Amino acid sequence: MQWLSSALSKAPPIKADILDAGVELTGGRISWKIHEGKLKENGTQVSVFSWEMTANTTDSELAAAKNALRRIKTCRHPHVLQYIDGHDPGDSAKAGSKVLIVTEHVKHLDTSTFQDHMSQNKEGVVWGLYGIANAIQFINEDCKLIHGNVHRGSIFVSKCGDWKLGGVENGASD
């Protein structure tokens, strides 16, 4: 575990500690990792989304990661991931630089725990889809944005079972 603490200690300063190596999220335009975390000030559980720049990263991938941070900061809705903190490497981004987004604590919709629960709770699935539809309506009508990345990989579940929309790296003005 020493390798994990040394790797994470090089992370930029954010309001949360990252507690694990993260799980790769697939299906989007760029590859994010979701980490378990806790707020430094009070120990509250959070999720930390990280995207790391590599030597092969294109300008459009970097722009998408920065766009995700910018959009999640400004889209406040009960069914959109709740932003807490973040880090943008700025114009000096190079291989190893990270874009970090700290949100309320969520699990990815595709995790087996939620898959098992959903197969037994049809009403919960309907309620979750209703919440995601409301989030999309809010983003389109009130924020005047197009999400551009709605799929199972951009949906997360909070502790209380609410479905939350993330994956806003493709968000653009309509």
Side-chain angles (χ1 to χ4, degrees), residues 4 21 23 28 35 45 67-68 71 83 87 96 99 104-105 108 122 131 134 141 155 159-160 164 171:
L4 178 61
V23 175
H35 304 269
Q45 276 190 308
N67 190 44
R71 298 297 184 195
Y83 171 84
H87 172 76
V99 174
E104 65 188 302
H105 188 252
H108 195 243
K122 302 293 184 201
N134 276 337
E141 293 180 6
I155 300 173
K159 281 185 201 177
C160 63
K164 305 284 184 153

Side-chain angles (χ1 to χ4, degrees), residues 58-167:
T58 65
D59 289 343
S60 67
E61 290 171 326
L62 176 60
K66 289 181 173 187
N67 190 44
L69 176 58
R70 187 173 76 246
R71 298 297 184 195
I72 201 78
K73 278 183 183 180
T74 58
C75 286
R76 299 288 186 161
H77 186 271
H79 292 285
V80 173
L81 283 175
Q82 181 187 358
Y83 171 84
I84 296 171
D85 192 22
H87 172 76
D88 179 342
D91 295 332
S92 62
K94 58 184 188 279
S97 296
K98 293 182 180 183
V99 174
L100 299 171
I101 301 171
V102 181
T103 70
E104 65 188 302
H105 188 252
V106 292
K107 296 284 187 186
H108 195 243
L109 180 66
D110 282 343
T111 59
S112 60
T113 306
F114 291 112
Q115 291 296 325
D116 293 343
H117 176 71
M118 287 188 311
S119 66
Q120 300 168 4
N121 184 3
K122 302 293 184 201
E123 293 84 11
V125 173
V126 171
W127 181 251
L129 290 171
Y130 176 77
I132 296 301
N134 276 337
I136 293 168
Q137 179 181 17
F138 168 77
I139 289 169
N140 290 345
E141 293 180 6
D142 296 346
C143 298
K144 305 288 188 235
L145 297 172
I146 298 170
H147 186 281
N149 193 29
V150 178
H151 58 92
R152 281 177 53 166
S154 62
I155 300 173
F156 302 88
V157 182
S158 70
K159 281 185 201 177
C160 63
D162 288 336
W163 290 20
K164 305 284 184 153
L165 186 60

